[in-house]
Short mmCIF file of all heavy atoms in Angstrom, two decimals:
data_model
loop_
_atom_site.label_atom_id
_atom_site.label_comp_id
_atom_site.label_asym_id
_atom_site.label_seq_id
_atom_site.Cartn_x
_atom_site.Cartn_y
_atom_site.Cartn_z
N GLY A 216 -68.58 138.66 156.37
CA GLY A 216 -67.74 139.66 155.73
C GLY A 216 -68.37 141.03 155.77
O GLY A 216 -67.69 142.04 156.02
N ALA A 217 -69.67 141.09 155.55
CA ALA A 217 -70.37 142.38 155.62
C ALA A 217 -70.26 142.98 157.01
O ALA A 217 -70.02 144.19 157.17
CB ALA A 217 -71.84 142.20 155.24
N THR A 218 -70.39 142.14 158.03
CA THR A 218 -70.30 142.62 159.41
C THR A 218 -68.91 143.20 159.71
O THR A 218 -68.77 144.32 160.19
CB THR A 218 -70.60 141.47 160.39
OG1 THR A 218 -71.95 141.04 160.22
CG2 THR A 218 -70.41 141.93 161.83
N PHE A 219 -67.88 142.42 159.40
CA PHE A 219 -66.52 142.84 159.77
C PHE A 219 -65.89 143.76 158.74
O PHE A 219 -64.91 144.43 159.04
CB PHE A 219 -65.65 141.60 160.01
CG PHE A 219 -65.89 140.99 161.36
CD1 PHE A 219 -66.84 139.99 161.51
CD2 PHE A 219 -65.20 141.42 162.47
CE1 PHE A 219 -67.09 139.43 162.75
CE2 PHE A 219 -65.44 140.87 163.72
CZ PHE A 219 -66.39 139.87 163.86
N GLY A 220 -66.45 143.79 157.52
CA GLY A 220 -65.95 144.73 156.52
C GLY A 220 -66.10 146.16 156.99
O GLY A 220 -65.19 146.99 156.83
N PHE A 221 -67.24 146.44 157.63
CA PHE A 221 -67.45 147.79 158.17
C PHE A 221 -66.88 147.92 159.57
O PHE A 221 -66.29 148.95 159.91
CB PHE A 221 -68.94 148.13 158.18
CG PHE A 221 -69.24 149.45 158.83
CD1 PHE A 221 -68.71 150.62 158.33
CD2 PHE A 221 -70.03 149.51 159.98
CE1 PHE A 221 -68.96 151.85 158.95
CE2 PHE A 221 -70.29 150.72 160.59
CZ PHE A 221 -69.76 151.90 160.08
N PHE A 222 -67.04 146.88 160.39
CA PHE A 222 -66.58 146.96 161.77
C PHE A 222 -65.08 147.28 161.85
O PHE A 222 -64.64 147.99 162.74
CB PHE A 222 -66.87 145.65 162.50
CG PHE A 222 -66.38 145.62 163.92
CD1 PHE A 222 -67.04 146.34 164.91
CD2 PHE A 222 -65.26 144.89 164.28
CE1 PHE A 222 -66.59 146.34 166.23
CE2 PHE A 222 -64.80 144.88 165.58
CZ PHE A 222 -65.47 145.60 166.56
N SER A 223 -64.31 146.75 160.91
CA SER A 223 -62.86 146.97 160.91
C SER A 223 -62.50 148.45 160.78
O SER A 223 -61.42 148.87 161.20
CB SER A 223 -62.22 146.19 159.75
OG SER A 223 -62.44 144.80 159.91
N TYR A 224 -63.41 149.23 160.19
CA TYR A 224 -63.13 150.65 159.97
C TYR A 224 -64.11 151.55 160.74
O TYR A 224 -64.23 152.74 160.46
CB TYR A 224 -63.21 150.97 158.47
CG TYR A 224 -62.27 150.13 157.65
CD1 TYR A 224 -62.73 149.03 156.93
CD2 TYR A 224 -60.90 150.41 157.62
CE1 TYR A 224 -61.86 148.24 156.19
CE2 TYR A 224 -60.02 149.62 156.89
CZ TYR A 224 -60.51 148.54 156.17
OH TYR A 224 -59.64 147.75 155.45
N MET A 225 -64.80 150.96 161.71
CA MET A 225 -65.82 151.71 162.43
C MET A 225 -65.21 152.89 163.20
O MET A 225 -65.79 153.99 163.22
CB MET A 225 -66.57 150.79 163.40
CG MET A 225 -67.84 151.40 163.97
SD MET A 225 -68.70 150.25 165.10
CE MET A 225 -69.26 149.00 163.93
N SER A 226 -64.06 152.68 163.80
CA SER A 226 -63.42 153.77 164.54
C SER A 226 -63.07 154.93 163.61
O SER A 226 -63.28 156.10 163.95
CB SER A 226 -62.15 153.26 165.24
OG SER A 226 -62.46 152.31 166.23
N ASP A 227 -62.54 154.60 162.43
CA ASP A 227 -62.20 155.63 161.45
C ASP A 227 -63.45 156.36 160.98
O ASP A 227 -63.44 157.58 160.77
CB ASP A 227 -61.48 155.02 160.24
CG ASP A 227 -60.12 154.46 160.62
OD1 ASP A 227 -59.48 155.01 161.53
OD2 ASP A 227 -59.71 153.46 160.03
N PHE A 228 -64.54 155.61 160.79
CA PHE A 228 -65.80 156.20 160.37
C PHE A 228 -66.30 157.20 161.41
O PHE A 228 -66.72 158.32 161.08
CB PHE A 228 -66.85 155.10 160.16
CG PHE A 228 -68.19 155.59 159.68
CD1 PHE A 228 -68.46 155.71 158.33
CD2 PHE A 228 -69.19 155.92 160.59
CE1 PHE A 228 -69.70 156.17 157.88
CE2 PHE A 228 -70.43 156.37 160.16
CZ PHE A 228 -70.68 156.50 158.80
N LEU A 229 -66.24 156.81 162.68
CA LEU A 229 -66.71 157.69 163.75
C LEU A 229 -65.83 158.94 163.87
O LEU A 229 -66.32 160.02 164.22
CB LEU A 229 -66.71 156.92 165.08
CG LEU A 229 -67.76 155.81 165.19
CD1 LEU A 229 -67.52 154.95 166.42
CD2 LEU A 229 -69.17 156.40 165.23
N ASP A 230 -64.55 158.78 163.57
CA ASP A 230 -63.63 159.91 163.64
C ASP A 230 -63.80 160.85 162.46
O ASP A 230 -63.97 162.07 162.63
CB ASP A 230 -62.20 159.38 163.70
CG ASP A 230 -61.16 160.51 163.66
OD1 ASP A 230 -61.40 161.56 164.29
OD2 ASP A 230 -60.12 160.33 163.01
N GLN A 231 -63.80 160.32 161.24
CA GLN A 231 -63.77 161.14 160.04
C GLN A 231 -65.14 161.57 159.52
O GLN A 231 -65.26 162.61 158.89
CB GLN A 231 -63.03 160.39 158.93
CG GLN A 231 -61.59 160.05 159.26
CD GLN A 231 -60.91 159.23 158.18
OE1 GLN A 231 -61.20 159.39 156.99
NE2 GLN A 231 -60.00 158.35 158.58
N ILE A 232 -66.16 160.77 159.79
CA ILE A 232 -67.49 161.08 159.27
C ILE A 232 -68.40 161.64 160.36
O ILE A 232 -69.03 162.68 160.20
CB ILE A 232 -68.14 159.83 158.63
CG1 ILE A 232 -67.23 159.26 157.54
CG2 ILE A 232 -69.52 160.19 158.05
CD1 ILE A 232 -66.92 160.20 156.40
N THR A 233 -68.46 160.93 161.49
CA THR A 233 -69.34 161.39 162.58
C THR A 233 -68.70 162.50 163.39
O THR A 233 -69.40 163.31 164.02
CB THR A 233 -69.69 160.20 163.50
OG1 THR A 233 -70.08 159.07 162.71
CG2 THR A 233 -70.86 160.56 164.42
N THR A 240 -66.19 157.60 170.80
CA THR A 240 -65.95 156.46 169.93
C THR A 240 -65.84 155.18 170.75
O THR A 240 -66.44 154.15 170.40
CB THR A 240 -64.64 156.66 169.12
OG1 THR A 240 -64.81 157.76 168.23
CG2 THR A 240 -64.30 155.42 168.32
N LEU A 244 -68.33 151.92 170.51
CA LEU A 244 -67.81 150.58 170.27
C LEU A 244 -68.23 149.62 171.38
O LEU A 244 -68.54 148.44 171.13
CB LEU A 244 -66.29 150.61 170.14
CG LEU A 244 -65.74 151.31 168.89
CD1 LEU A 244 -64.22 151.41 168.97
CD2 LEU A 244 -66.15 150.58 167.62
N TYR A 247 -71.89 148.86 170.88
CA TYR A 247 -72.00 147.93 169.75
C TYR A 247 -71.70 146.51 170.21
O TYR A 247 -72.42 145.56 169.88
CB TYR A 247 -71.04 148.35 168.64
CG TYR A 247 -71.01 147.41 167.45
CD1 TYR A 247 -71.87 147.58 166.39
CD2 TYR A 247 -70.10 146.34 167.40
CE1 TYR A 247 -71.85 146.72 165.29
CE2 TYR A 247 -70.07 145.48 166.32
CZ TYR A 247 -70.94 145.67 165.27
OH TYR A 247 -70.92 144.81 164.20
N MET A 281 -77.04 150.04 156.96
CA MET A 281 -75.83 150.62 156.38
C MET A 281 -76.15 151.75 155.40
O MET A 281 -75.40 152.72 155.30
CB MET A 281 -75.00 149.54 155.70
CG MET A 281 -74.34 148.58 156.68
SD MET A 281 -73.32 147.33 155.86
CE MET A 281 -72.82 146.34 157.27
N LEU A 284 -76.76 154.63 157.60
CA LEU A 284 -75.48 155.11 158.12
C LEU A 284 -74.73 155.92 157.08
O LEU A 284 -74.08 156.93 157.39
CB LEU A 284 -74.61 153.93 158.58
CG LEU A 284 -74.70 153.49 160.03
CD1 LEU A 284 -73.91 152.21 160.25
CD2 LEU A 284 -74.22 154.58 160.98
N THR A 294 -76.20 158.05 164.31
CA THR A 294 -75.16 157.04 164.22
C THR A 294 -75.19 156.12 165.44
O THR A 294 -75.05 154.90 165.31
CB THR A 294 -73.77 157.71 164.11
OG1 THR A 294 -73.73 158.50 162.92
CG2 THR A 294 -72.67 156.66 164.06
N LEU A 298 -75.81 152.16 165.05
CA LEU A 298 -74.79 151.21 165.49
C LEU A 298 -75.33 150.26 166.55
O LEU A 298 -74.91 149.10 166.62
CB LEU A 298 -73.56 151.95 166.01
CG LEU A 298 -72.71 152.69 164.98
CD1 LEU A 298 -71.50 153.32 165.64
CD2 LEU A 298 -72.27 151.75 163.87
N LEU A 301 -77.18 147.76 164.56
CA LEU A 301 -76.23 146.94 163.81
C LEU A 301 -75.54 145.94 164.74
O LEU A 301 -75.26 144.80 164.35
CB LEU A 301 -75.19 147.83 163.13
CG LEU A 301 -74.38 147.20 161.98
CD1 LEU A 301 -75.31 146.78 160.85
CD2 LEU A 301 -73.35 148.19 161.46
N GLY A 338 -64.47 135.26 155.91
CA GLY A 338 -65.22 136.50 155.72
C GLY A 338 -64.55 137.66 156.41
O GLY A 338 -64.47 138.77 155.85
N THR A 339 -64.03 137.40 157.61
CA THR A 339 -63.35 138.45 158.38
C THR A 339 -62.06 138.89 157.70
O THR A 339 -61.63 140.03 157.85
CB THR A 339 -63.03 137.93 159.80
OG1 THR A 339 -64.25 137.51 160.41
CG2 THR A 339 -62.41 139.01 160.65
N THR A 340 -61.44 138.00 156.94
CA THR A 340 -60.18 138.31 156.26
C THR A 340 -60.41 139.03 154.93
O THR A 340 -59.74 140.02 154.62
CB THR A 340 -59.38 137.02 156.01
OG1 THR A 340 -59.12 136.38 157.27
CG2 THR A 340 -58.05 137.34 155.32
N ILE A 341 -61.35 138.52 154.14
CA ILE A 341 -61.56 139.03 152.77
C ILE A 341 -62.23 140.39 152.76
O ILE A 341 -61.79 141.32 152.06
CB ILE A 341 -62.38 138.02 151.95
CG1 ILE A 341 -61.61 136.70 151.80
CG2 ILE A 341 -62.71 138.59 150.57
CD1 ILE A 341 -62.45 135.57 151.24
N ALA A 342 -63.32 140.54 153.50
CA ALA A 342 -64.14 141.75 153.41
C ALA A 342 -63.40 143.03 153.81
O ALA A 342 -63.52 144.05 153.13
CB ALA A 342 -65.41 141.58 154.23
N PRO A 343 -62.65 143.05 154.92
CA PRO A 343 -61.93 144.29 155.24
C PRO A 343 -60.96 144.72 154.14
O PRO A 343 -60.77 145.92 153.92
CB PRO A 343 -61.17 143.91 156.53
CG PRO A 343 -62.02 142.85 157.15
CD PRO A 343 -62.54 142.05 155.99
N PHE A 344 -60.36 143.74 153.45
CA PHE A 344 -59.46 144.08 152.34
C PHE A 344 -60.25 144.77 151.23
O PHE A 344 -59.82 145.80 150.69
CB PHE A 344 -58.79 142.82 151.81
CG PHE A 344 -57.97 143.05 150.57
CD1 PHE A 344 -56.74 143.67 150.64
CD2 PHE A 344 -58.45 142.66 149.33
CE1 PHE A 344 -55.98 143.90 149.49
CE2 PHE A 344 -57.72 142.87 148.18
CZ PHE A 344 -56.48 143.49 148.26
N VAL A 345 -61.40 144.21 150.87
CA VAL A 345 -62.23 144.79 149.81
C VAL A 345 -62.73 146.17 150.22
O VAL A 345 -62.67 147.13 149.43
CB VAL A 345 -63.42 143.86 149.48
CG1 VAL A 345 -64.39 144.54 148.50
CG2 VAL A 345 -62.92 142.53 148.92
N CYS A 346 -63.22 146.29 151.44
CA CYS A 346 -63.71 147.60 151.92
C CYS A 346 -62.56 148.61 151.98
O CYS A 346 -62.77 149.80 151.74
CB CYS A 346 -64.35 147.44 153.29
SG CYS A 346 -65.91 146.51 153.25
N GLY A 347 -61.36 148.13 152.27
CA GLY A 347 -60.20 149.01 152.28
C GLY A 347 -59.92 149.59 150.91
O GLY A 347 -59.47 150.75 150.78
N LEU A 348 -60.19 148.82 149.86
CA LEU A 348 -60.02 149.33 148.49
C LEU A 348 -60.97 150.47 148.21
O LEU A 348 -60.61 151.46 147.56
CB LEU A 348 -60.24 148.19 147.48
CG LEU A 348 -59.23 147.03 147.53
CD1 LEU A 348 -59.61 145.96 146.50
CD2 LEU A 348 -57.81 147.53 147.28
N PHE A 349 -62.20 150.37 148.70
CA PHE A 349 -63.18 151.44 148.54
C PHE A 349 -62.71 152.70 149.28
O PHE A 349 -62.85 153.82 148.79
CB PHE A 349 -64.55 151.01 149.07
CG PHE A 349 -65.35 150.20 148.11
CD1 PHE A 349 -65.23 148.82 148.06
CD2 PHE A 349 -66.24 150.81 147.23
CE1 PHE A 349 -65.97 148.07 147.16
CE2 PHE A 349 -66.99 150.07 146.33
CZ PHE A 349 -66.85 148.69 146.29
N ILE A 350 -62.14 152.49 150.46
CA ILE A 350 -61.66 153.63 151.26
C ILE A 350 -60.49 154.31 150.55
O ILE A 350 -60.44 155.54 150.46
CB ILE A 350 -61.23 153.16 152.66
CG1 ILE A 350 -62.45 152.67 153.45
CG2 ILE A 350 -60.54 154.29 153.42
CD1 ILE A 350 -62.10 152.02 154.78
N ASN A 351 -59.57 153.52 150.02
CA ASN A 351 -58.41 154.10 149.34
C ASN A 351 -58.79 154.88 148.10
O ASN A 351 -58.18 155.90 147.77
CB ASN A 351 -57.43 152.98 148.96
CG ASN A 351 -56.78 152.33 150.17
OD1 ASN A 351 -56.71 152.94 151.24
ND2 ASN A 351 -56.33 151.10 150.02
N SER A 352 -59.83 154.42 147.40
CA SER A 352 -60.26 155.08 146.17
C SER A 352 -61.20 156.25 146.43
O SER A 352 -61.21 157.22 145.66
CB SER A 352 -60.95 154.08 145.24
OG SER A 352 -60.09 153.01 144.92
N SER A 354 -63.53 157.24 150.14
CA SER A 354 -63.38 157.70 151.53
C SER A 354 -63.86 156.60 152.45
O SER A 354 -64.43 155.60 152.00
CB SER A 354 -64.18 158.99 151.78
OG SER A 354 -65.58 158.69 151.82
N VAL A 355 -63.65 156.79 153.75
CA VAL A 355 -64.03 155.77 154.71
C VAL A 355 -65.54 155.53 154.72
O VAL A 355 -66.00 154.44 155.07
CB VAL A 355 -63.53 156.16 156.13
CG1 VAL A 355 -64.33 157.34 156.69
CG2 VAL A 355 -63.62 154.97 157.08
N ARG A 356 -66.32 156.52 154.30
CA ARG A 356 -67.78 156.34 154.22
C ARG A 356 -68.13 155.18 153.29
O ARG A 356 -69.12 154.46 153.49
CB ARG A 356 -68.44 157.63 153.72
CG ARG A 356 -69.97 157.60 153.80
CD ARG A 356 -70.56 158.77 153.02
NE ARG A 356 -70.19 160.06 153.58
CZ ARG A 356 -70.90 160.71 154.49
NH1 ARG A 356 -72.02 160.18 154.96
NH2 ARG A 356 -70.50 161.89 154.93
N PHE A 357 -67.30 154.97 152.24
CA PHE A 357 -67.61 153.96 151.23
C PHE A 357 -67.23 152.55 151.67
O PHE A 357 -67.46 151.59 150.92
CB PHE A 357 -66.93 154.34 149.91
CG PHE A 357 -67.64 155.45 149.20
CD1 PHE A 357 -67.37 156.78 149.52
CD2 PHE A 357 -68.59 155.18 148.23
CE1 PHE A 357 -68.03 157.82 148.89
CE2 PHE A 357 -69.26 156.21 147.59
CZ PHE A 357 -68.98 157.54 147.91
N ALA A 358 -66.69 152.42 152.88
CA ALA A 358 -66.55 151.07 153.45
C ALA A 358 -67.92 150.43 153.58
O ALA A 358 -68.08 149.21 153.46
CB ALA A 358 -65.86 151.15 154.81
N LEU A 359 -68.93 151.28 153.80
CA LEU A 359 -70.30 150.79 153.90
C LEU A 359 -70.78 150.21 152.57
O LEU A 359 -71.51 149.23 152.55
CB LEU A 359 -71.23 151.93 154.34
CG LEU A 359 -71.10 152.37 155.80
CD1 LEU A 359 -71.73 153.73 156.01
CD2 LEU A 359 -71.72 151.33 156.72
N VAL A 360 -70.36 150.81 151.48
CA VAL A 360 -70.74 150.29 150.16
C VAL A 360 -70.12 148.91 149.94
O VAL A 360 -70.78 147.97 149.48
CB VAL A 360 -70.30 151.26 149.04
CG1 VAL A 360 -70.59 150.65 147.66
CG2 VAL A 360 -71.01 152.60 149.19
N GLY A 361 -68.83 148.79 150.29
CA GLY A 361 -68.18 147.49 150.18
C GLY A 361 -68.87 146.44 151.03
O GLY A 361 -69.09 145.30 150.59
N ALA A 362 -69.25 146.82 152.25
CA ALA A 362 -69.94 145.88 153.15
C ALA A 362 -71.30 145.48 152.58
O ALA A 362 -71.70 144.31 152.66
CB ALA A 362 -70.09 146.50 154.53
N PHE A 365 -71.25 142.72 150.05
CA PHE A 365 -71.21 141.39 150.68
C PHE A 365 -72.61 141.00 151.19
O PHE A 365 -73.00 139.84 151.09
CB PHE A 365 -70.20 141.37 151.82
CG PHE A 365 -68.78 141.20 151.37
CD1 PHE A 365 -68.02 142.29 150.96
CD2 PHE A 365 -68.20 139.94 151.33
CE1 PHE A 365 -66.72 142.14 150.53
CE2 PHE A 365 -66.90 139.77 150.89
CZ PHE A 365 -66.15 140.87 150.48
#
Side-chain angles (χ1 to χ4, degrees):
T218 296
F219 282 91
F221 175 61
F222 178 74
S223 299
Y224 303 102
M225 193 179 291
S226 295
D227 294 328
F228 182 89
L229 291 170
D230 175 39
Q231 299 177 33
I232 304 300
T233 313
T240 294
L244 291 174
Y247 177 89
M281 289 181 184
L284 268 173
T294 299
L298 290 183
L301 198 61
T339 303
T340 301
I341 297 169
F344 173 76
V345 173
C346 291
L348 296 178
F349 277 88
I350 294 172
N351 292 337
S352 301
S354 73
V355 71
R356 188 192 297 268
F357 284 84
L359 288 163
V360 175
F365 280 85

